[in-house]
């Protein structure tokens, strides 16, 4: 937020001013928002409260007619991102980004990376980066020229740590289960020079974070972003007590998913956001489907930017009878198993079936041995009581994946 006054009142003034500007751009450029804002006066919103009276935007609105959201002309579009959607409705989400949007993300990444990668430092990025405007490409462009950033294909996890050692990287950037699989894999010692790990593109449970920190004696930080925002959102600071929202670019809200009223600070709800600086595809009060809360109080790091705790997609989890067990609870319990790199879970009738990936396990039977089974049972015993009771009535089964695994994250984690 360069040039913005750094107190809460200043941030709110800045946000309101940028809010009016983005609402204006959306109304002029996007047919969807032209309709939605048609009854609102010029210069809307007068206040934040006014804005919070606007009906939220649903991912299905975007999926059913993406071009209705495009707020600039075709010639101004520098990158189009198509997202797979799990539902069948509509043509799938497509996002249109202009050069200004790309520049804004590069700036966000530059500022974020500078908080933990020293001048002259090197990072290895395990994210897609071949196409201009992809997340890896933007990261590489953001850290240059003061820092170095190399890309490694996310599909080739096996040689990733060799690459880390070869270039002397201090920082590794990747998806949570992918990085955990490296930290618990047979070659984990090659990562001994890492002092920083940045986890993004998926929820990272505290048990997963501490396992990576223990393996390499490094500090792990989490990032939260959406494809819809061209990957920007919030970033953890060194205190690791929540993710600081990039308030110069985004206005976040936490809503009661049933009533859509704002949740009291500190309580969990559905995260919604408004892209204050977007030009290609502005989104106003966009419901992310992610569960999160604002953390009350000030952060010890001294930043006055608000902090979010995010626990992943609300719909991610398994239904056992009447009980829904959220994936973040399963993650926290299962990643405590010292040999587990990743897993996927599905239900067969009412019984959960876990497909396990153990990166250091010798090839052999897909059935867990007695010791492995007792590790897994002990882990599930750490679940909250209502989840434990549900699993007692529908005992899970476990199998190891036998296919050669390359560290690619499992399908249970829905690509965003
Ligand atoms: Zn902080």
């Amino acid at each position: 937020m360069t040039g913005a006054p750094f107190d809460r009142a200043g941030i709110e003034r800045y946000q309101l001013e940028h809010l009016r500007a983005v609402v204006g751009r959306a109304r002029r450029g996007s047919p969807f928002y032209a309709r939605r804002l048609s009854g609102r006066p010029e210069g809307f919103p007068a206040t934040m409260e006014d804005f919070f009276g606007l009906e939220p935007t649903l991912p299905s609105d975007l999926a059913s007619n993406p071009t209705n959201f495009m707020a600039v002309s075709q010639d101004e579009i520098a990158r189009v991102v198509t997202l797979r959607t799990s539902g069948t409705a509509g043509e799938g989400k497509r996002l249109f980004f202009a050069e200004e949007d790309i520049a804004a993300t590069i700036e966000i990444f530059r500022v974020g990376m500078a908080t933990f990668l020293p001048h002259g430092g090197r990072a290895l990025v395990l994210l897609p980066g071949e196409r201009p405007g992809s997340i890896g490409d933007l990261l590489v462009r953001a850290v240059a020229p003061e820092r170095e950033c190399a890309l490694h294909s996310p599909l080739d996890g096996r040689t990733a740590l060799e690459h880390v050692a070869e270039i002397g990287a201090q920082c590794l950037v990747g998806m949570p289960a992918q990085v955990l699989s490296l930290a618990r894999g047979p070659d984990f010692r090659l990562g001994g020079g890492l002092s920083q790990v940045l986890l993004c593109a998926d929820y990272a449970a505290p048990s997963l974070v501490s396992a990576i920190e223990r393996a390499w004696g490094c500090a792990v930080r989490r990032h939260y972003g959406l494809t819809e925002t061209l990957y920007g959102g919030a970033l953890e600071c060194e205190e690791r007590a929540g993710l600081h929202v990039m308030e110069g670019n985004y206005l976040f809200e936490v809503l009661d998913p049933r009533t859509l009223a704002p949740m009291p600070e500190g309580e969990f709800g559905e995260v919604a956001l408004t892209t204050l600086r977007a030009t290609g595809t502005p989104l106003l009060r966009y419901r992310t489907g992610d569960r999160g809360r604002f953390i009350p109080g000030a952060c010890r790091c001294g930043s006055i930017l608000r902090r979010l705790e995010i626990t992943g997609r609300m719909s991610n989890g398994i239904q056992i009878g009447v009980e829904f067990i959220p994936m973040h609870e399963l993650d926290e319990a299962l990643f405590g198993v010292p040999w587990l790199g990743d897993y996927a879970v599905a239900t067969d009738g009412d019984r959960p079936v876990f497909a396990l990936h153990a990166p250091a396990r010798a090839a052999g039977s897909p059935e867990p041995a007695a010791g492995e089974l007792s590790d897994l049972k002990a882990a599930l015993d750490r679940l909250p009581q209502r989840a434990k009771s549900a699993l007692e009535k529908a005992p899970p089964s476990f199998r190891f994946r036998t296919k050669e695994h390359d560290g690619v994250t499992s399908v249970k984690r829905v690509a965003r």
Side-chain angles (χ1 to χ4, degrees):
M1 260 175 68
T2 20
F6 246 66
D7 57 61
R8 285 306 316 171
I11 288 173
E12 277 150 33
R13 271 198 308 275
Y14 175 99
Q15 287 196 317
L16 186 57
E17 184 188 315
H18 282 73
L19 197 51
R20 284 191 198 114
V22 74
V23 167
R25 286 198 298 282
R27 195 204 294 257
R28 286 190 301 275
S30 138
F32 177 87
Y33 285 120
R35 235 189 346 267
R36 179 147 295 183
L37 291 156
S38 61
R40 310 280 173 172
E42 219 24 68
F44 172 84
T47 62
M48 285 284 182
E49 284 63 41
D50 264 6
F51 181 68
F52 296 148
L54 187 70
E55 191 186 336
T57 305
L58 286 164
S60 57
D61 294 329
L62 182 58
S64 61
N65 195 344
T67 45
N68 258 347
F69 281 80
M70 191 167 81
V72 293
S73 70
Q74 282 286 359
D75 338 331
E76 289 169 86
I77 298 300
R79 174 157 165 79
V80 180
V81 180
T82 306
L83 281 169
R84 286 174 295 151
T85 42
S86 42
T88 47
E91 43 187 293
K93 278 189 237 169
R94 254 182 310 143
L95 286 310
F96 305 93
F97 298 109
E99 279 304 337
E100 293 96 310
D101 298 317
I102 291 177
T105 290
I106 290 177
E107 178 60 12
I108 288 171
F109 283 179
R110 192 187 63 75
V111 172
M113 292 296 281
T115 63
F116 57 87
L117 187 63
H119 218 266
R122 294 199 179 122
L124 188 75
V125 176
L126 293 172
L127 297 167
E130 297 75 27
R131 280 196 251 166
S134 57
I135 184 164
D137 171 63
L138 295 174
L139 259 171
V140 170
R141 285 158 69 186
V143 302
E146 296 93 351
R147 295 161 183 84
E148 277 177 54
C149 194
L151 287 170
H152 189 94
S153 164
L155 299 175
D156 185 14
R158 216 161 23 143
T159 58
L161 287 178
E162 285 169 20
H163 200 164
V164 163
E166 211 173 283
I167 66 168
Q170 297 100 333
C171 174
L172 182 66
V173 184
M175 293 180 69
Q178 171 195 35
V179 176
L180 180 68
S181 294
L182 296 177
R184 285 178 166 170
D187 303 320
F188 79 97
R189 283 190 183 80
L190 288 170
L194 291 168
S195 57
Q196 299 284 344
V197 166
L198 177 63
L199 301 178
C200 49
D202 196 3
Y203 168 64
S207 61
L208 178 150
V209 168
S210 15
I212 296 171
E213 291 187 327
R214 278 196 306 272
W216 290 324
C218 63
V220 172
R221 295 202 205 192
R222 293 174 282 190
H223 170 265
Y224 173 69
L226 302 174
T227 312
E228 288 90 330
T229 62
L230 198 61
Y231 318 117
L235 177 68
E236 212 162 27
C237 70
E238 70 275 11
E239 294 295 335
R240 295 222 322 244
L243 288 80
H244 286 286
V245 172
M246 298 154 189
E247 291 188 279
N249 295 69
Y250 311 105
L251 175 66
F252 275 91
E253 298 171 69
V254 175
L255 306 177
D256 182 320
R258 284 167 303 115
T259 64
L260 301 182
M263 291 301 288
E265 195 176 47
E267 288 182 31
F268 280 102
E270 180 176 358
V271 175
L273 65 82
T274 297
T275 52
L276 294 174
R277 288 174 56 188
T279 52
T281 309
L283 294 170
L284 310 180
R285 308 197 74 215
Y286 180 75
R287 291 175 63 179
T288 63
D290 290 327
R291 180 176 174 271
R293 67 178 186 118
F294 280 116
I295 297 174
C299 184
R300 282 191 305 257
C301 76
S303 166
I304 58 166
L305 297 176
R306 297 184 86 183
R307 289 170 298 155
L308 276 173
E309 177 182 353
I310 304 275
T311 62
R313 305 203 79 172
M314 293 190 304
S315 59
N316 242 358
I318 49 171
Q319 188 73 43
I320 308 289
V322 292
E323 197 62 57
F324 179 76
I325 308 180
M327 195 60 79
H328 69 91
E329 288 180 1
L330 290 172
D331 278 5
E332 180 56 15
L334 285 171
F335 287 130
V337 174
W339 43 259
L340 190 70
D342 197 3
Y343 73 94
V345 61
T347 43
D348 178 8
D350 228 12
R351 291 184 57 178
V353 181
F354 288 88
L356 310 169
H357 169 55
R361 189 180 193 250
S365 164
E367 303 299 328
E372 291 166 331
L373 206 54
S374 71
D375 286 348
L376 293 161
K377 291 201 165 136
L380 293 180
D381 254 0
R382 292 192 287 267
L383 283 169
Q385 190 52 50
R386 43 166 193 76
K388 259 172 31 182
S389 316
L391 290 180
E392 271 156 28
K393 284 178 228 137
S397 64
F398 303 95
R399 279 182 81 80
F400 286 95
R401 283 189 240 151
T402 46
K403 209 169 122 271
E404 178 68 30
H405 199 282
D406 53 15
V408 180
T409 200
S410 66
V411 288
K412 81 179 167 65
R413 293 159 205 288
V414 182
R416 308 225 30 179

